[in-house]
Amino acid sequence: MAALPVPLIAPALGAAAAYLNARFQIYYDLNLLGSVVPAVAHQAWWTYRGRLNFFYRFEDLATSKSSQTRDFLRFEDRTYTYEQAYDIVLRYAGWLKEKRGVKKGEMVALDFQNTDTFLFLVLALWSLGAVPALINYNLVGKSLIHCITKAKARLVLIDPSVAENVGDEVRAELSDTVFEVVTPQLESQMLSLEPYRAPDEVRADASGKGMAMLIYTSGTTGLPKAAIVSWSKVAIPSGFTSRFVGTTKNDTFYTAMPLYHSTAMLLGFTHTLSQGATFAMSRKFSTSQFWDDVRKHDANIIQYVGETCRYLLSAPTRICPKTGENLDRKHNVRVAFGNGLRPDVWNKFKERFGVETIAEFYASTEGSFGTWNKSRNDHSLGAVGRNGALYNILLGHTVAIVRVDIETELPYRDPKTGLCVRAAPGEPGELLFALPPNDVEARFQGYFGDKDSTSKKIMRSVFKKGDAWFRTGDVLRNDNEYRLFFSDRIGDTFRWKSENVSTAEVAQAVGLHSSIQEANVYGIELPNHEGRAGCAAVVFKPSALDSAGAPTPDTLKSLAEHVRASLPKYALPLFLRLVNDDSAHSTGTNKQQKTALRNEGVDPIKTDKDEVYWLKGDSYVKFGPKEWSELQGGKVKL
Ligand SMILES: *[C@@H]1O[C@H](CO)[C@@H](O)[C@H](O)[C@H]1NC(C)=O
Ligand SMILES: *[C@@H]1O[C@H](CO)[C@@H](O)[C@H](O)[C@H]1NC(C)=O
Ligand SMILES: *[C@@H]1O[C@H](CO)[C@@H](O)[C@H](O)[C@H]1NC(C)=O
């Protein structure tokens, strides 16, 4: 995205608009392109003036008469104007430089929940030309050591509320690293110092490729990978999404998603900063607190990720204790902006909470591109991207969907040509983004100090010898109306009865049943069977359970009828595993995880205390050690 050809797009817009009509979704396209062009133009202008470092966006707002008294941040019971925040940031910068010797280019690890201090430290480090490495505060032990080591951080600053996660074994292993808990006392000391504004020279060389921060991606397997977030990955998505969503300086953007991830940091915080709007946040996501915080901070744009909206929907209606009024629609939110909203939740969410627009995006931290879908109606319900004809003509060559080989989990290559094959409309395939073959780094900076992982994300000779493409690892399909639908994560799709089953599509179908709060689907190996059988780890709504917490026979029967009616035979989830809220998804990000569940399968020794059911005739019935041994003995054929 960083290298969109501006001179090509701008004149083409005017000419093309003249003859393309609404049937080709021209308005939508203009909105989309109109969002991209200024974002790219701004980046070019800032780079030219040596002011690409986002500290300048903040400083300009804090020092300009028209914006300095505007609210910059609302958090818990505190509110800071731009001017007030600027003063604090410069004092923290003074402490980092004078007391801790932080230098330009140095990486400093920040291990924080969402707090005002966290954002002040990020801005203070940027002001010094230093680089924050954002650590997932849930990490402990080996994973934490890994992340700090990857960043080569000499200094780790820690939120007091997560300090206990940094155990003795971590400190012992990293004996050269300074760990410092940022207590209120320490913050008072920082505030007592004089403001320090580092000279422009330390920030002047911030380039599109230059590193703005390090954000760790939580892969489904293995240790987190440190993705380099360049200044263009800060500037372009921030500028693009804020225009696309229509964020103005009068808006308050609220998030409860963790700032250590790109969603909240880039599409939330720097998005808001790029428009000089007000940023509001909660320390972490809480289903019961979410709307109260939205109301308290008077937010009109909210952010969601993964299953967030499903959790909000599963919560009972909030009634005002004083007036008895239903508070569900008592807010000023006009846009919900995020990623991963399932079609089964989409409309229910809009209706119950009265949110007019949903802006769903698809992008990855490491990726060099995103796709977007903004909607006020049902037309592309569930689509992650919706590109009109004009957009496709101009930018279509930078995105491709290619056939995947499920066995190898790699894009399929034609044995004759050795090249990849584009998926037909409707056929699922892996989404790829084009990279400049001779300067891959211009778009994809890769993982810090990890050439191996970096090269695995880049594929060469895809459509012609020597070209370069970025692998998203996501399987999507396109339809004839330029809509793009998420199908699955690569590696999640499984094969049963010689058919390919998308776990995301099965989960959507199961999730549409009225008894289901959440469904996470994966394929499991069974004794004496080829391929993998579908299993759904489910959380039932409390109303579907009896007093002992077990699903009622009616519920199980109705669910069995529902899946049989909505899925082809080979895609039926043959097993149900009852899990509790917490094991259905990962902490912090509200994204589902499958690896452990998939490895445990339905072996009663491994499923621990969870109840397992299997599909027998017209209902789901208990599955236990006896049934397992029948499978092992080859007495049952599914
Ligand atoms: C912001 O609000 C002010 C006062 O209501 C209004 O005059 C102005 O046009 C608004 N600006 C934007 C960009 O919406
Ligand atoms: C996509 O856009 C359409 C509007 O055209 C909207 O109805 C739909 O809800 C959107 N879906 C997603 C997932 O973004
Ligand atoms: C399943 O995927 C494989 C590619 O891995 C493909 O060869 C096969 O035709 C697909 N099967 C069906 C039934 O679509």
Side-chain angles (χ1 to χ4, degrees):
M1 210 147 100
L4 289 181
V6 183
L8 189 152
I9 292 173
L13 267 180
Y19 61 83
L20 287 176
N21 65 23
R23 205 162 72 79
F24 292 102
Q25 307 176 342
I26 184 80
Y27 168 74
Y28 188 83
D29 271 14
L30 289 175
N31 185 221
L32 204 58
L33 285 176
S35 305
V36 175
V37 174
V40 175
H42 268 125
Q43 159 161 324
W45 173 239
W46 291 330
T47 309
Y48 172 72
R49 295 174 60 214
R51 292 168 62 88
L52 184 59
N53 183 317
F54 252 51
F55 172 72
Y56 287 112
R57 306 292 87 70
F58 174 63
E59 178 172 65
D60 289 348
L61 289 156
T63 54
S64 149
K65 281 257 173 323
S66 61
S67 50
Q68 57 190 194
T69 56
R70 194 180 301 156
D71 283 356
F72 162 69
L73 177 65
R74 296 189 193 132
F75 172 64
E76 296 183 339
D77 294 320
R78 300 189 279 283
T79 297
Y80 304 87
T81 63
Y82 272 93
E83 192 176 39
Q84 288 165 339
Y86 183 64
D87 179 72
I88 298 172
V89 164
L90 296 189
R91 289 171 198 269
Y92 285 22
W95 178 82
L96 287 164
K97 175 161 193 299
E98 302 300 333
K99 306 292 178 192
R100 293 298 174 269
V102 172
K103 296 200 173 55
K104 173 181 160 55
E106 174 173 355
M107 257 189 234
V108 175
L110 301 177
D111 187 1
F112 276 77
Q113 291 191 325
N114 291 359
T115 67
D116 39 5
T117 307
F118 184 18
L119 288 177
F120 296 151
L121 287 169
V122 167
L123 290 163
L125 287 167
W126 282 348
S127 83
L128 299 174
V131 181
L134 313 184
I135 307 285
N136 174 342
Y137 65 79
N138 296 296
L139 296 182
V140 296
K142 240 175 58 191
S143 312
L144 180 55
I145 293 171
H146 167 84
C147 289
I148 297 168
T149 310
K150 275 284 167 200
K152 302 195 173 70
R154 178 178 63 82
L155 176 63
V156 182
L157 298 174
I158 306 163
D159 183 345
S161 52
V162 298
E164 62 183 20
N165 289 352
V166 187
D168 290 340
E169 79 284 14
V170 176
R171 291 164 189 265
E173 175 88 21
L174 302 170
S175 52
D176 291 339
T177 306
V178 175
F179 292 87
E180 194 150 10
V181 179
V182 185
T183 59
Q185 294 79 352
L186 179 58
E187 286 197 73
S188 308
Q189 270 178 45
M190 295 176 176
L191 286 174
S192 69
L193 300 173
E194 285 302 306
Y196 171 75
R197 182 190 181 278
D200 288 339
E201 291 88 85
V202 305
R203 294 175 298 265
D205 61 352
S207 68
K209 290 189 219 179
M211 206 185 315
M213 58 188 139
L214 212 54
I215 289 186
Y216 297 81
T217 65
S218 44
T220 42
T221 53
L223 293 164
K225 287 189 286 212
I228 296 172
V229 176
S230 64
W231 285 114
S232 68
K233 237 168 259 160
V234 175
I236 306 239
S238 301
F240 170 42
T241 57
S242 57
R243 289 179 182 87
F244 185 62
V245 167
T247 311
T248 74
K249 65 188 172 64
N250 293 342
D251 286 318
T252 298
F253 186 112
Y254 168 79
T255 193
M257 300 299 115
L259 283 167
Y260 60 74
H261 268 318
S262 53
T263 307
M265 182 51 84
L266 304 182
L267 304 175
F269 176 61
T270 57
H271 163 126
T272 308
L273 190 56
S274 73
Q275 295 304 319
T278 300
F279 189 65
M281 64 184 181
S282 299
R283 186 173 274 277
K284 58 184 187 176
F285 176 76
S286 147
T287 306
S288 59
Q289 274 302 305
F290 188 93
W291 289 109
D292 289 343
D293 281 351
V294 166
R295 278 185 283 271
K296 176 161 94 178
H297 298 310
D298 194 22
N300 43 16
I301 303 171
I302 56 172
Q303 188 172 40
Y304 63 85
V305 180
E307 305 297 320
T308 302
C309 296
R310 187 188 304 279
Y311 302 146
L312 295 174
L313 259 184
S314 71
T317 292
R318 182 70 117 209
I319 303 292
C320 176
K322 288 198 199 97
T323 61
E325 187 186 7
N326 178 336
L327 295 179
D328 276 353
R329 288 169 169 241
K330 193 98 179 150
H331 57 72
N332 295 317
V333 174
R334 61 181 170 84
V335 183
F337 170 53
N339 164 236
L341 186 54
R342 301 267 187 90
D344 56 310
V345 174
W346 188 270
N347 275 336
K348 288 186 215 157
F349 186 83
K350 270 172 77 166
E351 273 159 31
R352 172 165 163 196
F353 297 109
V355 173
E356 182 190 337
T357 301
I358 306 241
E360 164 85 10
F361 77 94
Y362 165 89
S364 65
T365 309
E366 322 94 296
S368 53
F369 210 98
T371 69
W372 310 84
N373 174 24
K374 187 162 83 170
S375 101
R376 292 197 168 82
N377 57 39
D378 274 352
H379 174 66
S380 49
L381 180 98
V384 293
R386 182 157 155 273
N387 303 333
L390 170 60
Y391 189 79
N392 273 6
I393 292 163
L394 292 172
L395 300 171
H397 62 281
T398 61
V399 185
I401 296 181
V402 294
R403 252 182 220 166
V404 176
D405 182 335
I406 291 195
E407 303 292 327
T408 60
E409 299 179 359
L410 289 170
Y412 166 83
R413 285 187 186 267
D414 183 328
K416 281 207 204 89
T417 61
L419 300 175
C420 295
V421 180
R422 285 182 199 266
E427 181 189 6
E430 181 172 356
L431 182 70
L432 308 178
F433 293 125
L435 297 170
N438 301 320
D439 187 15
V440 164
E441 277 198 6
R443 297 259 189 96
F444 175 54
Q445 290 78 27
Y447 303 106
F448 190 62
D450 191 349
K451 285 219 166 64
D452 228 33
S453 300
T454 302
S455 63
K456 276 188 194 142
K457 294 296 270 188
I458 302 170
M459 210 167 45
R460 293 276 180 178
S461 303
V462 172
F463 299 117
K464 60 173 195 272
K465 204 157 190 308
D467 66 0
W469 292 75
F470 172 79
R471 292 192 60 194
T472 62
D474 286 322
V475 179
L476 286 88
R477 65 192 160 76
N478 219 334
D479 71 4
N480 292 325
E481 293 183 67
Y482 309 107
R483 294 176 301 186
L484 204 53
F485 294 85
F486 181 75
S487 175
D488 227 348
R489 249 332 260 177
I490 215 165
D492 284 352
T493 294
F494 61 89
R495 197 170 331 208
W496 180 246
K497 308 282 183 201
S498 309
E499 296 282 354
N500 305 321
V501 184
S502 150
T503 63
E505 288 172 12
V506 177
Q508 272 164 23
V510 176
L512 281 170
H513 190 260
S514 60
S515 70
I516 297 292
Q517 182 165 319
E518 179 171 2
N520 182 3
V521 173
Y522 46 95
I524 55 169
E525 289 180 322
L526 294 174
N528 303 307
H529 285 80
E530 287 277 321
R532 286 172 177 269
C535 180
V538 294
V539 182
F540 280 103
K541 287 184 186 155
S543 58
L545 301 173
D546 64 20
S547 55
T552 64
D554 280 352
T555 299
L556 291 167
K557 188 149 185 260
S558 142
L559 180 59
E561 277 165 12
H562 167 78
V563 294
R564 282 197 193 280
S566 38
L567 290 166
K569 196 149 183 263
Y570 60 84
L572 292 175
L574 298 182
F575 294 87
L576 294 182
R577 175 169 175 180
L578 269 57
V579 293
N580 62 28
D581 258 355
D582 291 340
S583 50
H585 56 89
S586 59
T587 42
T589 57
N590 290 346
K591 284 190 184 158
Q592 293 179 336
Q593 45 193 6
K594 302 183 195 286
T595 313
L597 291 166
R598 186 163 49 207
N599 293 340
E600 288 162 9
V602 289
D603 178 348
I605 294 172
K606 297 183 187 151
T607 54
D608 200 19
K609 292 177 245 19
D610 293 344
E611 295 281 3
V612 174
Y613 293 78
W614 63 342
L615 188 58
K616 280 276 146 186
D618 64 355
S619 189
Y620 282 101
V621 300
K622 277 270 177 65
F623 177 89
K626 176 168 152 285
E627 289 76 18
W628 175 250
S629 72
E630 284 172 13
L631 270 178
Q632 278 181 317
K635 289 186 201 137
V636 187
K637 199 79 196 142
L638 294 178

